[in-house]
């Protein structure tokens, strides 16, 4: 492990919800929940105001509504979030060529590889400038952790939330980790955590005291060795701008079980096409086609077929998925279908960056919610307006949909730079003066950022002092020290 805290971890604060609050002045400071609004929808992101009520990501939307009935519930705007993510990732790439995105709103950066930082003071300055640049370019906030390893940098960014910067100084790592829960360490999920707790280990210090042999006995050789090393604050994993994707897959859960065999076949074909679009978007092809079917009784079946060579041909994937479906009994009803491709190979000579792989998981809640919208539109004969999405009226200008139904749609007319919450008006869903619109940028005219040798921003951040608070102290903006 290196001696300087030059591994940076950035995590944008409540990203989707914060983007919606920045876009909609009337929602600033209020509880906002973004996700699928259908009967089986899940929460993609909750604002910090909504988390106070116990709402969190991956929670069923019905449960979120019971916990926070007065929150604003919005359908995700995937393209809008991706455009902001591209801006943020661009800022990270100015710091170093070694950027490892984990999702749209989270990434590791090796500052030393970009010659942006080489010691604690220069790392602090780079982190401070990055946070200032993100705010100036996107209007949003991100939390930054700095440490000598990826594991510790991520722990530091968690401690920095919301809107802060935390540095773990070399030499202090073990003392800081010791009292923390074993769940803090990568790879320790609920099941492993419970297993360790039953064995009398609830803190990181307990793991270190138990010893490597005991952890290997409890968890197996690979996991036991790795966990013991992390308990001693050892993490040699490098920041990598490329990483291997093992599989590409898509799946849909249906609000009402599908009994019609023809409909099941049509859904499988549609999923195959979606899967191929992802495959091509990542510059990959694959040899093994996988079909996943969850039946009415929650039993889940998977069937696979390995081809002679890798493919990204939609017709080939569709045909293989159809053959696999023939071997599955769906007469009792189907509640989930999925199509995947594994045994991946490079399809083009271009590099595959980790962002493409990370988005496969990160965008699932968005795509699920967007699928719900499409199905609602197909089931409705009237013009459909999606809650939270952008519109424009010939007379009143830009606004967003607060709600619709019974032939009416309610619009709040405001833009990201509106000083006050906008006025609300209701129209017929077929009003010819009302049209869908593209999202407006959160910062209409981002400041020009002349390049510098250290890759940071221009004059805006030049006043940040090189000597900043010591480790585990916030840096501007954030009063809280941990995520709710």
């Amino acid at each position: 492990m290196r001696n300087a805290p030059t591994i940076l971890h950035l995590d944008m604060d409540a990203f989707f919800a914060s983007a919606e609050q920045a876009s909609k002045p009337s929602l600033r400071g209020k509880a906002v929940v973004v996700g699928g609004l259908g009967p089986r929808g899940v929460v993609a992101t909750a604002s910090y105001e909504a988390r106070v009520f116990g709402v969190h990501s991956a929670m069923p939307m019905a449960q979120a509504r019971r916990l926070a009935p007065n929150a604003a519930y919005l359908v995700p705007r995937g393209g809008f979030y991706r455009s902001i993510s591209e801006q943020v990732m661009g800022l990270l790439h100015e710091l170093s060529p070694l950027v490892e995105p984990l999702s749209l709103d989270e990434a590791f950066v090796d500052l030393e590889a970009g010659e942006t930082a080489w010691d604690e003071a220069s790392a602090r300055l780079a982190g401070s400038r990055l946070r200032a640049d993100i705010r100036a370019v996107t209007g949003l906030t991100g939390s930054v952790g700095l440490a000598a390893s990826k594991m510790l940098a991520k722990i530091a960014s968690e401690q920095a939330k919301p809107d802060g910067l935390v540095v773990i100084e070399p030499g202090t790592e073990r003392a800081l980790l010791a009292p923390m829960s074993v769940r803090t360490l990568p790879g320790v999920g609920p099941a492993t955590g419970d297993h360790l707790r039953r064995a009398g280990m609830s803190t990181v210090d307990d793991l270190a005291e138990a010893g490597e042999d005991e952890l290997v006995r409890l968890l197996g050789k690979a996991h036991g060795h790795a966990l013991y090393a992390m308990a001693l604050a050892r993490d040699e994993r490098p920041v990598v701008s490329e990483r291997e994707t093992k599989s590409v897959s898509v799946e849909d859960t249906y609000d009402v079980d599908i009994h019609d065999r023809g409909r099941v076949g049509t859904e499988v074909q549609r999923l195959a096409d979606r899967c191929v679009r992802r495959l091509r978007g990542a510059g990959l092809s694959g040899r093994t086609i996988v079909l996943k079917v969850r039946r009415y009784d929650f039993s889940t079946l998977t069937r696979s077929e390995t081809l002679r060579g890798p493919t990204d041909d939609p017709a080939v994937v569709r045909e293989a998925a159809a053959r696999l479906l023939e071997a599955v009994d769906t007469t009792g009803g189907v509640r989930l279908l999925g199509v995947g491709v594994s045994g991946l190979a490079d399809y083009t000579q271009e590099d595959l960056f980790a962002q493409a792989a990370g988005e496969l998981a990160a965008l699932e809640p968005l795509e699920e919610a967007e699928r719900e919208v499409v199905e609602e539109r197909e089931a409705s004969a009237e013009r459909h307006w999606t809650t939270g999405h952008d519109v424009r009226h010939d007379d009143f200008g830009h606004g967003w949909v607060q709600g619709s139904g019974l032939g009416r749609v309610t619009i709040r007319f405001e833009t990201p730079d509106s000083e006050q919450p906008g006025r609300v008006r209701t129209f017929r869903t077929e009003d010819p003066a009302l049209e869908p619109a593209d999202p407006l940028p959160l910062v209409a005219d981002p400041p020009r950022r002349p390049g510098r040798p250290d890759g940071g921003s221009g004059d805006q951040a030049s006043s940040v002092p090189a000597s900043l608070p010591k480790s585990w102290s916030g840096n501007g903006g954030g009063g809280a020290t941990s995520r709710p």
Side-chain angles (χ1 to χ4, degrees), residues 354-372:
Q355 183 175 3
E359 286 182 357
L360 301 184
L363 296 182
E364 278 299 341
L366 302 185
E367 293 191 353
E368 176 69 15
E370 289 165 353
R371 179 185 66 80
E372 290 179 0

Side-chain angles (χ1 to χ4, degrees), residues 50 102-103 161 181 209 211 242 274 295 314-315 340 383 430 440 443 471 479 484:
L102 305 179
S103 63
K161 282 191 167 292
S181 166
E209 289 186 359
E242 300 179 25
R274 274 178 56 195
R295 298 187 292 191
R383 200 176 183 189
E430 300 301 324
L440 297 177
V443 179
S471 68

Side-chain angles (χ1 to χ4, degrees), residues 17-28:
S18 293
E20 295 295 347
Q21 288 175 318
S23 178
K24 302 172 171 64
S26 58
L27 298 184
R28 293 171 190 170

Side-chain angles (χ1 to χ4, degrees), residues 1-2 4-11 98-102 106-111 144-158 166 168 173 177 184-186 230 233-244 354 472:
M1 190 165 68
R2 64 186 70 194
T6 54
I7 299 296
L8 181 149
H9 181 260
L10 169 72
D11 194 355
L98 288 184
V99 176
E100 182 179 342
L102 305 179
E106 185 180 3
F108 288 109
V109 183
D110 188 330
L111 298 176
V144 168
L146 289 158
S149 70
K150 290 168 66 174
M151 176 186 74
L152 293 166
K154 184 171 175 62
I155 290 173
S157 71
E158 290 285 335
V166 162
I168 301 180
E173 298 96 343
L177 282 176
T184 304
L185 301 180
M230 288 187 290
R234 298 172 187 164
D235 179 19
E236 302 295 336
R237 295 174 300 159
V239 175
V240 290
S241 59
E242 300 179 25
R243 65 183 177 188
E244 180 182 2
W472 297 92

Side-chain angles (χ1 to χ4, degrees), residues 24-372:
K24 302 172 171 64
S26 58
L27 298 184
R28 293 171 190 170
K30 298 182 179 179
V32 174
V33 180
V34 179
L37 304 187
R40 292 182 182 173
V42 297
V43 175
T45 306
S47 70
Y48 286 102
E49 295 86 354
R51 297 182 193 189
V52 171
F53 298 98
V55 180
H56 57 77
S57 60
M59 172 182 285
M61 190 61 76
Q63 182 181 356
R65 288 185 183 276
R66 289 193 296 270
L67 292 172
N70 296 321
Y73 289 86
L74 307 176
V75 175
R77 296 183 289 168
F80 178 50
Y81 309 144
R82 292 183 190 96
S83 67
I84 300 172
S85 175
E86 289 171 1
Q87 291 178 303
V88 173
M89 295 301 166
L91 294 174
L92 297 184
H93 279 285
E94 291 182 10
L95 293 175
S96 173
L98 288 184
V99 176
E100 182 179 342
L102 305 179
S103 63
L104 290 180
D105 61 339
E106 185 180 3
F108 288 109
V109 183
D110 188 330
L111 298 176
E112 189 174 346
E115 300 182 354
T116 308
W118 48 91
D119 59 12
E120 181 185 339
S122 57
R124 287 180 184 276
L125 186 57
S128 298
R129 285 173 168 163
L130 173 63
R131 293 179 57 240
D133 287 345
I134 289 173
R135 187 187 291 274
V137 171
T138 70
L140 302 180
T141 63
S143 295
V144 168
L146 289 158
S149 70
K150 290 168 66 174
M151 176 186 74
L152 293 166
K154 184 171 175 62
I155 290 173
S157 71
E158 290 285 335
Q159 294 290 327
K161 282 191 167 292
D163 190 20
L165 181 150
V166 162
V167 178
I168 301 180
E169 298 176 1
T172 67
E173 298 96 343
R174 288 195 62 181
L176 290 166
L177 282 176
M180 293 184 177
S181 166
V182 295
R183 291 288 306 277
T184 304
L185 301 180
V188 180
T192 302
D194 288 343
H195 187 47
L196 291 170
R197 181 180 52 77
R198 289 193 296 270
M201 305 176 205
S202 57
T203 68
V204 176
D205 191 46
D206 292 337
L207 300 180
E209 289 186 359
E212 188 170 16
D213 291 343
E214 177 64 9
L215 293 178
V216 168
R217 186 187 70 81
L218 285 171
L219 304 174
K221 187 174 181 180
H223 200 180
H225 284 313
L227 199 58
Y228 182 68
M230 288 187 290
L232 299 181
R234 298 172 187 164
D235 179 19
E236 302 295 336
R237 295 174 300 159
V239 175
V240 290
S241 59
E242 300 179 25
R243 65 183 177 188
E244 180 182 2
T245 304
K246 295 183 179 179
S247 65
V248 173
S249 62
V250 297
E251 61 182 42
D252 278 345
T253 301
Y254 303 98
D255 294 338
V256 178
D257 293 348
I258 303 175
H259 293 83
D260 180 74
R261 183 75 176 186
R263 168 81 188 284
V264 173
T266 300
E267 289 295 309
V268 167
Q269 298 292 290
R270 183 177 62 82
L271 289 166
D273 287 341
R274 274 178 56 195
C275 184
V276 169
R277 286 198 296 272
R278 283 191 169 190
L279 198 66
R280 289 183 168 181
L284 295 172
S285 59
R287 295 184 59 198
T288 302
I289 314 303
V290 181
L291 175 70
K292 177 179 177 181
V293 179
R294 181 169 297 150
R295 298 187 292 191
Y296 69 98
D297 58 358
F298 288 90
S299 61
T300 302
L301 305 175
T302 57
R303 299 289 184 267
S304 64
E305 175 181 321
T306 299
L307 309 175
R308 291 184 177 181
T311 183
D312 75 340
D313 186 330
V316 172
V317 176
R318 283 197 301 267
E319 290 170 5
R323 286 194 297 271
L324 294 170
L325 180 61
E326 291 175 0
V328 178
D329 180 11
T330 63
T331 53
V334 171
R335 59 187 299 110
L336 177 148
L337 290 168
V339 173
V341 178
S342 60
L344 302 181
D346 291 338
Y347 180 73
T348 68
Q349 298 301 312
E350 298 177 359
D351 290 337
L352 171 64
F353 286 94
Q355 183 175 3
E359 286 182 357
L360 301 184
L363 296 182
E364 278 299 341
L366 302 185
E367 293 191 353
E368 176 69 15
E370 289 165 353
R371 179 185 66 80
E372 290 179 0

Side-chain angles (χ1 to χ4, degrees), residues 23-25 77 385-386 388-393 396-402 410-416 418 422-424 427 434-440:
S23 178
K24 302 172 171 64
R77 296 183 289 168
W385 300 98
T386 304
H389 283 218
D390 299 80
V391 297
R392 183 167 186 83
H393 191 276
F396 301 106
H398 192 93
W400 58 278
V401 179
Q402 280 201 319
T410 299
I411 308 296
R412 184 181 288 275
F413 290 99
E414 59 186 2
T415 64
S418 298
R423 183 171 298 181
V424 175
F427 306 89
L434 196 62
E435 294 291 341
D438 292 330
L440 297 177

